[in-house]
Amino acid sequence: MNLPTSVWLFQSLHALGMALWLSIAVRNNWRGFAGSVFAVGGTMSMAPLRVDPAIDTPLLTRAIRSVALHRAALGVVLALQLAAALAFWAGSAMLVVGGDLAAARPWLNLGLAGFAAFLFAMHLGGLWFGYWIRQEGLQLTHLVLLLWVLAAFFLFNLSWH
């Protein structure tokens, strides 16, 4: 296998993997909307900080207990995930079927922008609601996903020949 073909194969696999990952995220949040709202609400209401031993911090004044706002926050994340997934499917089709990275690149970058947007929404929301205090695993997951997006940006946008 020559270098251009191997690079195309890796980029194609990566684009399809991201399209599938985002599609599963959309499906999970759509089918399990109530559970996802509960999880988002846990962070927004700052419930983990109230678990024994409770952490008394002035940040608790930021807690939001409105289920309607929890639903709206998840709705924004879900819309960004859907947009990112659709863009990745379009870019993947152009890359895999057409073999045309130049045509696929704007769609893949749009997908990466949507992916980064919902991750930043979760990072910024988590920072606002103090999730680093008791939800370190969630914060680390968001950080690793953002590194994946960054690496994918370079994968799709640098010349590898």
Side-chain angles (χ1 to χ4, degrees):
M1 178 180 299
N2 62 27
L3 180 62
T5 302
S6 66
V7 170
W8 167 83
L9 181 61
F10 185 74
Q11 289 171 326
S12 296
L13 177 66
H14 206 84
L16 285 170
M18 291 187 101
L20 283 167
W21 191 95
L22 287 160
S23 297
I24 292 168
V26 168
R27 179 170 165 72
N28 287 351
N29 281 327
W30 182 260
R31 289 219 11 114
F33 193 82
S36 295
V37 166
F38 180 77
V40 169
T43 298
M44 290 177 69
S45 69
M46 302 174 83
L49 299 180
R50 292 181 177 81
V51 174
D52 284 335
I55 297 175
D56 187 27
T57 172
L59 296 179
L60 286 169
T61 60
R62 297 177 177 176
I64 295 177
R65 292 185 178 88
S66 166
V67 175
L69 290 177
H70 301 165
R71 286 177 185 268
L74 180 59
V76 168
V77 167
L78 186 55
L80 290 168
Q81 287 175 335
L82 179 60
L86 292 173
F88 256 99
W89 282 114
S92 294
M94 290 175 190
L95 182 59
V96 173
V97 176
D100 189 354
L101 178 60
R105 189 175 284 133
W107 291 102
L108 297 172
N109 284 340
L110 180 62
L112 290 170
F115 203 156
F118 78 76
L119 287 171
F120 277 120
M122 291 188 290
H123 280 300
L124 295 171
L127 182 62
W128 183 258
F129 295 112
Y131 82 159
W132 77 90
I133 300 171
R134 284 257 170 96
Q135 294 175 290
E136 305 90 354
L138 184 58
Q139 182 184 31
L140 288 174
T141 298
H142 295 159
L143 289 169
V144 168
L145 287 171
L146 194 56
L147 288 174
W148 184 26
V149 169
L150 183 61
F153 179 83
F154 289 112
L155 173 65
F156 296 130
N157 289 282
L158 291 181
S159 176
W160 299 98
H161 307 80

